[in-house]
Amino acid sequence: MLRPLAREAAARGLLVLVPDWSCRQADGGAAELRASLAHARRTAAAFGGDPARLVLAGWSLGGREAIAVATHPDTPAELRPSAAVGIASQYTDPAVTTGDAPLDHLASGPSPVPIWLVHGTADEIVDVEHTRKLAAAVPTAALLELPTDHAGVVMTVYSPEARRCLPATDADTLEAGRRTAAVLAEAAGLS
């Protein structure tokens, strides 16, 4: 599902690693997510990336996990990314990786890393107000609202027949995804 956005981000000069994790695991996928982050740190240099400039991004449930891991006070320094991007997520439920809601621990102090947030204003899966609450709690967070839905922010459309997201072809959705990729590039320090 994230292939269209990953390709667009890679075309902007980013090394993109996309973990495949399942929230249906007994631990909610926490072990897979932590292992994916450690793997990215270990292998980034082999692919020409800089492990010290790792940006952790996630969409939907993954967005909450990315923000949680990046900002939680107990995240080990060797796993903390240099920035985090939450895409079409909500931040009031506990993250499986940290055990608490990102909004809760960010309300008690500043974020240890820069945060970027992206959300579609027509999202019917996760209301944009969830992202607005986090942006209000973290005044340094950059928020981009796009005129698209939950799938559109990652250059996809939901297909009821296929029961999954498929690559988008319409110009407006592709443009929304390009703008999300631009945020990823900005978070990574690329223009």
Side-chain angles (χ1 to χ4, degrees), residues 72-90:
H72 197 275
D74 295 337
T75 296
E78 66 272 9
L79 290 182
R80 191 174 308 280
S82 60
V85 181
I87 305 168
S89 302
Q90 65 86 9

Side-chain angles (χ1 to χ4, degrees), residues 103-188:
L103 191 57
D104 290 345
H105 69 254
L106 284 167
S108 63
S111 174
V113 299
I115 296 175
W116 279 261
L117 303 167
V118 179
H119 211 116
T121 56
D123 192 329
E124 294 180 354
I125 305 297
V126 179
D127 192 296
V128 67
E129 285 303 320
H130 290 288
T131 295
R132 290 174 180 158
K133 284 180 188 175
L134 185 66
V138 183
T140 58
L143 171 60
L144 174 64
E145 294 184 14
L146 297 169
T148 191
D149 63 7
H150 193 68
V153 292
V154 293
M155 299 181 96
T156 63
V157 293
Y158 181 75
S159 166
E161 298 80 26
R163 298 182 59 187
R164 65 185 182 99
C165 291
L166 300 174
T169 57
D170 71 280
D172 290 342
T173 303
L174 293 174
E175 179 58 24
R178 285 185 195 103
R179 293 184 64 195
T180 300
V183 168
L184 296 172
E186 183 180 349

